[in-house]
Amino acid sequence: MSSQFQFSDQNSLPKPDVQILTSNGLRIPAHTDVLASVSPVLENIIERPHKHHSSEKIIPILGVPCDAVSLFIQFLYSSRCSEEELEKYGIHLLALSHVYLVPQLKHMCSKAVGQRLTVENVVDVLQLARLCDSPDLYVKCMKMLSDNFKAVEKTEGWKFMQENDPFLELEILRFIDEAESRKKRTRRHREEQRLFMELSEAMECLEHICTEGCTTVGPCDLEPSHKRRGPCNKFSTCEGLQLLIKHFAVCKNRVNGKCSRCKRMWQLLRLHSSICDQADSCRVPLCRQFKLKMQRERKGDETLWSLLVKKVASARIMSSLSLPKRKREEPRETIHDHGIRNFRK
């Protein structure tokens, strides 16, 4: 029972003072106070003056099965509806709850109907969701249509909608197109983030190789006691960078730009210099020279390059934050030597 009408038994209820008329002529006795307290639409109907003065008040609720109307009136009294009832009459109850402004029932019906969506009924439910202003159900239908479009296209509901509601068809196609665009943007963003993280890791490995050395490559002035080092924890990236450094050290075309591998190494050195904030003490070759050169020159691709630097620097910060605090605070060995360095191979 409603909180305003909690009686110990049915005999405690006052005499019904209104009749609900259904499509098959069934009359359901009800109480105007209960109906008006739950539904503002029914309240307006009850309070509206009648043309024909009669002792009997009748409210017609037509266009849906009489059992659905009975369940609707039952909900107005009890605020309850079973899963079986929602499964059988959820669509009809959704329409009634929208027309008579019963939000609690509307929410229950939207959820129940959304859980029972199929390829066969999704177009019909979508049309109902639009008519009943149910955004959650609408979005759920659209997502199912987008994910199963080839199958939905073959259904009778889709063919009927194409013939009778071309605007809805256009709305669906636009949603699918926007969903595909969002997926592409998301994939592109993930690929970009992956690239920035890889570049950030390469910057760390470059500093690590030039400062401490790793397996077969390191500074030429490294002390003998440090000449033998095992693989680091990022050796998959570090090994590729070591191979690139070895090639760069002996390649005769590294200056004239004819070697693509050397060109990549120049770009890594420039990127490091753009990110490095310790150029005076940095042991990475050409770090200070690149920084001075970039301060003097202003190239057309500066904006694009600056954006790349910011993204890689941001990825580097995020990577460092993901490390344990103790490891972040480990001091790096710094040697104050600013010249161009050779590598031990």
Side-chain angles (χ1 to χ4, degrees):
M1 301 298 295
S2 169
S3 60
Q4 297 178 353
F5 297 92
Q6 290 183 356
F7 301 98
S8 56
D9 54 53
Q10 202 168 19
N11 295 328
S12 302
L13 285 169
K15 184 178 179 182
D17 56 356
V18 66
Q19 299 283 331
I20 306 298
L21 180 64
T22 65
S23 297
N24 67 349
L26 177 68
R27 294 193 177 198
I28 304 171
H31 302 82
T32 55
D33 288 343
V34 176
L35 303 185
S37 69
V38 182
S39 168
V41 175
L42 288 173
E43 182 181 16
N44 290 336
I45 293 173
I46 291 167
E47 293 179 353
R48 187 188 306 160
H50 297 280
K51 294 181 181 179
H52 304 287
H53 295 285
S54 173
S55 59
E56 188 177 32
K57 292 182 181 178
I58 298 176
I59 300 176
I61 298 182
L62 310 174
V64 294
C66 63
D67 288 343
V69 178
S70 298
L71 289 172
F72 176 66
I73 301 301
Q74 174 186 305
F75 183 86
L76 298 184
Y77 277 83
S78 65
S79 297
R80 288 194 296 271
C81 200
S82 68
E83 286 296 323
E84 293 78 11
E85 292 165 343
L86 287 171
E87 182 177 2
K88 191 172 183 180
Y89 295 107
I91 289 176
H92 305 99
L93 291 172
L94 176 60
L96 289 171
S97 63
H98 173 70
V99 170
Y100 293 101
L101 299 180
V102 185
Q104 184 183 358
L105 179 60
K106 184 176 179 178
H107 176 73
M108 290 173 61
C109 293
S110 296
K111 186 177 179 181
V113 172
Q115 290 172 346
R116 294 169 177 83
L117 280 178
T118 65
V119 168
E120 293 295 329
N121 71 6
V122 66
V123 175
D124 296 329
V125 175
L126 175 64
Q127 291 173 308
L128 180 65
R130 287 175 79 213
L131 291 171
C132 294
D133 189 25
S134 179
D136 292 343
L137 184 58
Y138 173 88
V139 171
K140 199 163 189 176
C141 291
M142 281 294 198
K143 286 181 178 178
M144 174 171 267
L145 273 163
S146 179
D147 295 339
N148 304 274
F149 185 66
K150 292 295 182 183
V152 174
E153 260 190 321
K154 300 174 183 177
T155 63
E156 291 299 321
W158 177 265
K159 294 172 185 176
F160 181 84
M161 182 269 298
Q162 276 187 310
E163 295 175 3
N164 297 277
D165 196 347
F167 291 105
L168 178 57
E169 180 186 9
L170 181 60
E171 196 174 315
I172 293 169
L173 295 176
R174 280 178 178 169
F175 181 91
I176 294 172
D177 184 60
E178 290 173 3
E180 286 299 317
S181 297
R182 283 194 297 271
K183 287 178 182 177
K184 288 179 182 177
R185 286 196 300 269
T186 301
R187 283 196 295 267
R188 187 166 60 247
H189 177 71
R190 286 175 180 169
E191 285 296 314
E192 289 174 353
Q193 292 303 311
R194 183 184 61 79
L195 174 63
F196 297 143
M197 290 301 294
E198 287 177 357
L199 286 172
S200 171
E201 190 170 294
M203 294 299 98
E204 291 180 16
C205 289
L206 183 61
E207 292 179 19
H208 159 64
I209 292 170
C210 296
T211 305
E212 304 163 349
C214 184
T215 59
T216 60
V217 179
C220 62
D221 55 354
L222 194 68
E223 294 180 8
S225 59
H226 294 94
K227 285 195 182 274
R228 286 289 179 185
R229 280 188 178 272
C232 63
N233 59 354
K234 295 179 181 177
F235 188 66
S236 57
T237 302
C238 211
E239 184 180 28
L241 195 54
Q242 288 181 60
L243 294 173
L244 188 61
I245 290 171
K246 287 180 180 180
H247 170 83
F248 184 77
V250 298
C251 182
K252 296 179 180 179
N253 294 317
R254 66 183 176 192
V255 178
N256 56 24
K258 292 182 179 180
C259 177
S260 60
R261 295 181 69 187
C262 289
K263 189 175 181 180
R264 192 178 306 123
M265 188 67 208
W266 284 118
Q267 289 172 337
L268 289 174
L269 291 171
R270 182 189 174 191
L271 181 58
H272 162 80
S273 178
S274 301
I275 295 172
C276 183
D277 57 357
Q278 296 178 349
D280 292 337
S281 61
C282 182
R283 288 179 59 83
V284 176
L286 301 174
C287 178
R288 188 166 181 270
Q289 286 84 343
F290 264 119
K291 198 172 285 290
L292 292 172
K293 183 180 179 181
M294 285 185 288
Q295 288 173 357
R296 290 193 302 265
E297 297 179 357
R298 292 291 181 269
K299 296 187 177 181
D301 65 342
E302 183 186 3
T303 304
L304 189 61
W305 181 262
S306 299
L307 181 62
L308 175 63
V309 171
K310 288 179 182 178
K311 294 288 188 181
V312 175
S314 175
R316 192 173 188 181
I317 292 170
M318 295 303 294
S319 176
S320 67
L321 289 175
S322 66
L323 293 174
K325 184 177 179 182
R326 182 173 54 81
K327 192 167 184 178
R328 289 204 304 269
E329 292 177 348
E330 282 182 1
R332 275 193 176 273
E333 177 188 1
T334 57
I335 302 177
H336 298 281
D337 184 3
H338 315 313
I340 299 176
R341 311 185 187 286
N342 295 320
F343 292 102
R344 168 177 56 81
K345 312 191 286 295

